[in-house]
Structures are given as C-alpha cells and as structure tokens.
Amino acid sequence: MSQKIHIRTASASSRVRPLATTEKSYKIFTPGEVVIKEANTNFVRGHGTYEENGDLKASVAGVKEQVNKLISVRPLKSRYNGQVGEVLVGRISEVQQKRWKVDTNSRLDSVLMLSSVNLPGGELRRRSVEDQHMMRQYLQEGDLISAEVQSIFSDGSLSLHTRSLRYGKLGQGLLIKVFPSLVKKSKIHFHNLPFGVSLILGNNGYIWISPPTDNTDDNVGGFVQNLEEVISKDIREAMGRVRNCILALAENKMMLFDTSIVFAYEESLKYSVAELLLPEAMVDVALLTQHRLSMLDDYEFE
Amino acid sequence: MSRKKELLSRVGLRLDGRRADELRRIRCKLGVFTQPDGSAYIEQGLTKVLAAVYGPHQVRSKQKAQHDTCIINTQFSMAVFSTNERKKRPRGDRKSTELSMHLQQALLAVIKTELYPWSQIDVYVEVLHGDGGIYPACVNAATLAIIDAGIPIKEYVCACTASLGNNDIPMLDVSHQEEVIGGPTLTVAALPMSGKIVLMEMSQRFHLDHLPKVLDKALEGCKDIKAILDEAVKNHVREMGSSTGWANTTS
C-alpha cells in the first residue's frame, strides 16, 4: 500500500487570505483611542471604554456600539460573557456542597446548584442530605453537561440550570472548542442535522457533536449516560466530518450556525474525512460554504 | 590593544546600515494560535517572539485569589536555540525570572485588573530568536496578544531600547551586535500616548548629561512602535470582522 504524502511549502500558509464576506466597514477603535472627546454628562460609559481627563476612551480593540446614551466598544474576541437564557456546554470541574463548579470558558467558573437540576424521581422532589452525598454519583469531575444560564451573580459568574429534559449529562460524542464569538446566537442551539448527527452549539464556544438522539422524552433527569451502545461506523464518520468542517469554518473565522455547517458538510464530501484537516482543503471548504451562504443572502433580499 | 570599534560611521550609519534614529523592521501578526484566548507574533529585526494569553480565568490556587483585582502571571522563556550558544534550559534561570517580573510590571500598569476580581491572566512569551532588544520585543508581543484576547487595557504599552553612539549621539533600537561592542543600553517601557514610563533599566553607566536625550530617543521609539502595532491591530480587526460579517456588531 502506498500512502499519499502531502508536502507544503512554508510560504503556502501566508497565501491564504481571510475571506471577506462583506464590504461593510466600520471605524475601528484601539485601546487608548478617544471615542468621544469631552464626554461630560451626555454619555454613559459602557463595556470596553473608560474615562480619562474627561474623554471617553476605548480599552479594547473593536467597533463602537451605541444604545441611546450608552457607549461601548465590543472586542471581536474575548472570553464568554454569559447572558440569561443562553445554552452552554460545560465541564464539571469541582463538586462542592450543594453545588457543582462548571468550566464554561467564561472568566469565572459557573455554578450549577443542586437545587437547579432535575433529580431522578420527579421535579417536585425534596432535596435531602442524602442527595448531597449522592452528588458525585449524578455528576462527577470531568463530566460534560449541557445547561442554560439561569442568572448572573454579582461577581460576574454564571448560575446554570438543567431543569429541562433537553439539558443534562452528555454521553457519547465529540467536543470542539472554538472562540465564543464565532457561534451565532439563535433561538435554537440543539440541531439534528440531516446526515444523522446531532449538534449542540453552545454559546460559550463549546460545541458538542453526538450520534442522533431520538426525541423521546422518557429519559429522566438527564443523568443517564449510555456508554454501552455501539455507534455504527457511518455515523462516527459523519461525526468526524462535521468536526473537521466546523474546524475548517472556525479556522477561517466564519460564523457557525446550522446552515453554515450543513453547507460545509455538503461541500466537504469530495474530500475524505482525514483530508479535511489539510489547510488547503479547509480553505476550499470554507470558501465554497461562504459562496453558498452569500447566494442564500442574495436570494433572501430579492 | 586594538581601537574600540565605532558604533557609528563617519557618515552616520550603524553597523547594520541603519541611521541612528531608525528602528529595525517590525513585522507582527495577531491571532496566530487557536487554543489560547489571545496570541501574537512579532519580529523586530531578527528578534522573534511569540506570545500567548490565557484568561481571565478562575484562579487555580485558592490562596492567591484576590477579591478586588485579577492576578497576572507571566512566564518568559527563551528557546534553547535562540542564541549563539545553545542554552541549557529555556526558563528558570535568574535572567528569565527577572524578565518575567519586569514583564509583569509593565502589564500591570495597563491592564484594567479591577474589572476581573477572583480571576487570573496568564501571559506566556517565548523568544524564538534573540538578537538584541529581547525585553522590548516581549513587551510589544504581550501587548498585542492581550489586545487580541479582548482584555481591557488603558493604552498600548511599548518598549524600546536606546544607546549612546560615539559618546554623543543617541541611537535607537540596539541590536545584539551593538550591545556586544559596547555602549550603554537604556531599556524603556512606556505608555506612548500619555508619555508615562513604566520601566527603565540601564546596562551600564553613562554621564547624567546624556540621559535626557537618550531617554527622549527611546520614548520616540516607543511612539513609533505604537503606531506600527496600532496599524497591525486595526488591520487584524478589520480582517476578522469582515470574515465573520461583523455578525456580533449591532450598530
């Protein structure tokens, strides 16, 4: 068996330019730059800005956003800033009394209270001391969960809840980490893609790819983890392909949402799953995806 | 004894052909890695530095956590192949520890730490090729990486070296060759927009009368570097924004 060997020159990596999708241009502010001169009482200082000598200055690199009097500068990339109601994928980092600490790529670990999970045996069950002792049996360090942001504490850390059958412990699948800013916010973050893969696009940049889930509501509490089930090779291959497609899109700084991922999957079919990891293939897939997305946009505007 | 080699020729050119007030070529790139929150690469002449920033994230050790600020953890390391003589170990020696601390001081002066209580920011810099002006290159790379990570800072912090050629003329951005030949090296880390100096270090003594002009030259260098970095940041943000379609911007 001869194996295909790929050779790339060092200069090839610099030939690839980021893909520009829009002609729109904004004024870009960089740290220390004056956003508004002599901003006295007419403006309210928002995120990414600070006041010095009466001027409102930017503290991050990004574009200005104004809501009435509130002026803020939003960086294009940062740690995850949670908002109530967003869907997250996280990893349990610590088990404490009455709560779990969850790593969610935000600046402080998030908290999942024992009182904000659905324990097996009905929603209205009283939580006893035994439950506190049993916590590690439900979720232990290293377990992955999907959850929703319930509230934000005063220090900025997030309080999560899994009080829905959609949320809970994640079983077999793949986790990808991308920059949170690349995940497009939408109403639906749980997707069953047409080629037999289900996907959770966490707002925090953690993306979970798993075999198709049947939407039967008989799983209780979301603490069951079926590791015995054998996933067929086709599905595993599709999952691997989705992973590589998402990486290709993320590498080229393209927004991740169901349509872009489906398009990327379809465009990637001419490559084998392993070939998709080559930079050329990644750029090619991203370009074709972007082309299709832009055609979709044009169509919508007509 | 042979005569000490002159740093400036009669026509005012230096050993590498620059004039006294010229910087070496700066090339930089932001967002070179996907794993850290922010990363940058900078070349100043032949000095090449990579920087990676992680955070702000939860403090790993409970004792160190501060309720009102975030702690900044810096690690300076030099690749073993970065200098003429192969180094024994990349970090942990006295020089590396000292440079880590100096880097931390420079960053503490600009990062708005009060915004991130109980948190920690890790800054890792790695020198791939050392050719004079290692500390300035590290500061500049770290600044870019922090901006890439979206961490709020008051303004750019830039660093530059300056020296005194022929006992009279201030020279900007000293290369390794010039460092070795001699001449005092003044390293300055400054906030170029407000003109504040956050760190100043001298390798040798020279007469106090010369200090103001050498310092002015170094500050001028910091301003020039800031302009170059600013340009690079703006280009990077523009490229990032146009490829994501400015999806996160509402206005």
Side-chain angles (χ1 to χ4, degrees):
Chain A
M1 271 296 283
S2 68
Q3 211 178 353
K4 216 169 158 189
I5 297 171
H6 294 277
I7 297 171
R8 247 187 339 274
T9 54
S11 58
S13 57
S14 60
R15 257 183 252 145
V16 177
R17 306 297 307 159
L19 320 160
T21 52
T22 56
E23 299 296 308
K24 270 189 275 182
S25 71
Y26 292 90
K27 167 128 180 62
I28 292 155
F29 290 94
T30 50
E33 200 171 327
V34 176
V35 181
I36 288 171
K37 226 173 162 45
E38 274 142 40
N40 24 42
T41 50
N42 292 326
F43 297 102
V44 182
R45 189 168 55 85
H47 287 297
T49 58
Y50 70 100
E51 235 174 309
E52 198 177 66
N53 305 331
D55 294 341
L56 196 68
K57 293 179 177 178
S59 65
V60 294
V63 276
K64 184 175 86 172
E65 277 176 19
Q66 186 162 6
V67 181
N68 297 329
K69 280 183 174 185
L70 181 74
I71 308 251
S72 49
V73 177
R74 187 193 291 236
L76 288 192
K77 193 166 102 182
S78 70
R79 282 259 156 171
Y80 171 62
N81 281 316
Q83 274 160 359
V84 174
E86 287 183 336
V87 176
L88 306 180
V89 174
R91 193 185 285 279
I92 305 287
S93 62
E94 221 176 302
V95 183
Q96 295 178 337
Q97 201 116 43
K98 290 190 195 170
R99 75 186 72 197
W100 289 276
K101 281 288 176 89
V102 191
D103 165 32
T104 53
N105 198 28
S106 53
R107 53 199 169 79
L108 292 168
D109 281 355
S110 308
V111 174
L112 178 66
M113 300 292 282
L114 181 60
S115 55
S116 47
V117 298
N118 272 348
L119 294 176
E123 267 185 49
L124 294 169
R125 217 187 70 168
R126 252 182 78 91
R127 278 161 186 80
S128 57
V129 189
E130 279 85 76
D131 283 329
Q132 283 186 33
H133 296 314
M134 292 274 283
M135 275 176 67
R136 193 166 263 114
Q137 263 136 35
Y138 300 131
L139 290 169
Q140 63 176 345
E141 289 91 343
D143 282 350
L144 284 164
I145 56 159
S146 62
E148 192 181 296
V149 181
Q150 187 170 39
S151 59
I152 302 169
F153 291 119
S154 57
D155 64 347
S157 60
L158 308 174
S159 168
L160 310 177
H161 79 92
T162 61
R163 284 191 162 276
S164 162
L165 293 177
R166 284 181 306 204
Y167 307 128
K169 198 165 171 179
L170 300 171
Q172 300 192 51
L174 292 165
L175 178 76
I176 321 176
K177 294 179 184 177
V178 297
F179 293 123
S181 54
L182 291 178
V183 178
K184 195 173 184 175
K185 291 187 169 52
S186 85
K187 281 176 189 160
I188 308 159
H189 283 270
F190 290 78
H191 301 286
N192 273 317
L193 300 183
F195 27 84
V197 171
S198 54
L199 192 70
I200 305 173
L201 285 169
N203 277 114
N204 59 343
Y206 287 14
I207 296 171
W208 180 251
I209 305 169
S210 57
T213 47
D214 39 348
N215 281 333
T216 49
D217 288 353
D218 57 344
N219 52 344
V220 274
F223 291 109
V224 276
Q225 196 177 28
N226 188 357
L227 299 179
E228 308 296 296
E229 189 190 342
V230 179
I231 312 295
S232 73
K233 187 170 179 254
D234 295 348
I235 291 175
R236 277 182 284 149
E237 206 172 287
M239 284 164 64
R241 187 176 287 276
V242 170
R243 174 190 177 271
N244 291 353
C245 288
I246 292 174
L247 285 183
L249 294 180
E251 183 76 13
N252 291 288
K253 306 283 183 297
M254 286 181 60
M255 293 307 280
L256 299 171
F257 51 104
D258 51 347
T259 322
S260 73
I261 292 166
V262 170
F263 282 177
Y265 186 92
E266 286 166 8
E267 296 301 339
S268 77
L269 288 170
K270 61 180 171 184
Y271 297 104
S272 76
V273 177
E275 271 171 357
L276 269 178
L277 291 170
L278 298 171
E280 289 85 4
M282 289 169 109
V283 172
D284 184 36
V285 168
L287 262 173
L288 291 167
T289 309
Q290 186 178 48
H291 188 65
R292 282 186 65 180
L293 284 171
S294 64
M295 279 167 51
L296 200 68
D297 285 349
D298 292 345
Y299 179 71
E300 275 172 5
F301 284 130
E302 268 172 34
Chain B
M1 287 297 283
S2 66
R3 197 171 62 90
K4 201 174 161 190
K5 211 171 173 188
E6 295 270 290
L7 283 169
L8 273 172
S9 73
R10 206 160 292 165
V11 288
L13 291 177
R14 289 152 74 172
L15 294 164
D16 47 7
R18 285 184 288 159
R19 296 200 177 277
D21 56 353
E22 279 178 344
L23 290 168
R24 292 176 289 174
R25 181 178 64 174
I26 296 180
R27 296 202 293 187
C28 48
K29 209 173 156 189
L30 281 86
V32 287
F33 298 129
T34 50
Q35 187 65 31
D37 294 288
S39 54
Y41 170 72
I42 195 166
E43 276 180 24
Q44 288 187 256
L46 289 173
T47 305
K48 302 179 175 81
V49 177
L50 271 172
V53 172
Y54 292 82
H57 61 77
Q58 183 93 30
V59 184
R60 295 287 166 245
S61 71
K62 281 265 157 58
Q63 292 86 24
K64 281 191 196 157
Q66 307 258 319
H67 69 96
D68 52 350
T69 63
C70 78
I71 50 177
I72 295 168
N73 172 30
T74 51
Q75 189 184 73
F76 168 89
S77 65
M78 268 181 102
V80 286
F81 50 80
S82 61
T83 46
N84 255 344
E85 263 176 59
R86 196 174 169 84
K87 283 171 71 79
K88 283 227 171 55
R89 49 182 186 176
R91 64 192 79 86
D93 53 339
R94 188 186 287 253
K95 192 187 158 203
S96 303
T97 324
E98 192 187 332
L99 280 173
S100 297
M101 276 165 62
H102 286 168
L103 186 61
Q104 187 188 27
Q105 280 167 11
L107 296 179
L108 269 172
V110 287
I111 296 178
K112 297 182 81 63
T113 50
E114 70 277 6
L115 296 176
Y116 298 114
W118 304 111
S119 309
Q120 171 183 351
I121 297 171
D122 296 323
V123 181
Y124 299 97
V125 290
E126 173 93 30
V127 178
L128 299 178
H129 189 160
D131 185 50
I134 291 168
Y135 176 74
C138 288
V139 172
N140 300 335
T143 308
L144 288 179
I146 280 173
I147 292 171
D148 185 44
I151 294 169
I153 55 175
K154 292 192 194 89
E155 58 176 287
Y156 287 80
V157 53
C158 296
C160 191
T161 56
S163 177
L164 199 64
N166 302 2
N167 278 325
D168 191 34
I169 304 153
M171 296 192 323
L172 199 60
D173 198 11
V174 189
S175 71
H176 180 65
Q177 202 185 9
E178 289 163 335
E179 267 175 13
V180 172
I181 288 175
T185 308
L186 178 75
T187 306
V188 173
L191 315 184
M193 297 171 105
S194 57
K196 285 176 193 153
I197 295 172
V198 288
L199 184 128
M200 193 159 109
E201 195 191 21
M202 278 174 64
S203 66
Q204 288 172 40
R205 285 192 292 183
F206 59 70
H207 198 275
L208 188 63
D209 291 351
H210 296 306
L211 183 64
K213 63 181 177 192
V214 178
L215 184 58
D216 280 352
K217 192 54 87 181
L219 284 174
E220 221 171 85
C222 291
K223 285 206 178 90
D224 291 347
I225 289 171
K226 188 247 155 192
I228 294 168
L229 300 188
D230 197 46
E231 180 77 31
V233 169
K234 284 196 168 153
N235 283 336
H236 175 74
V237 172
R238 200 167 289 130
E239 275 177 5
M240 273 271 287
S242 61
S243 59
T244 54
W246 300 102
N248 286 329
T249 51
T250 48
S251 57

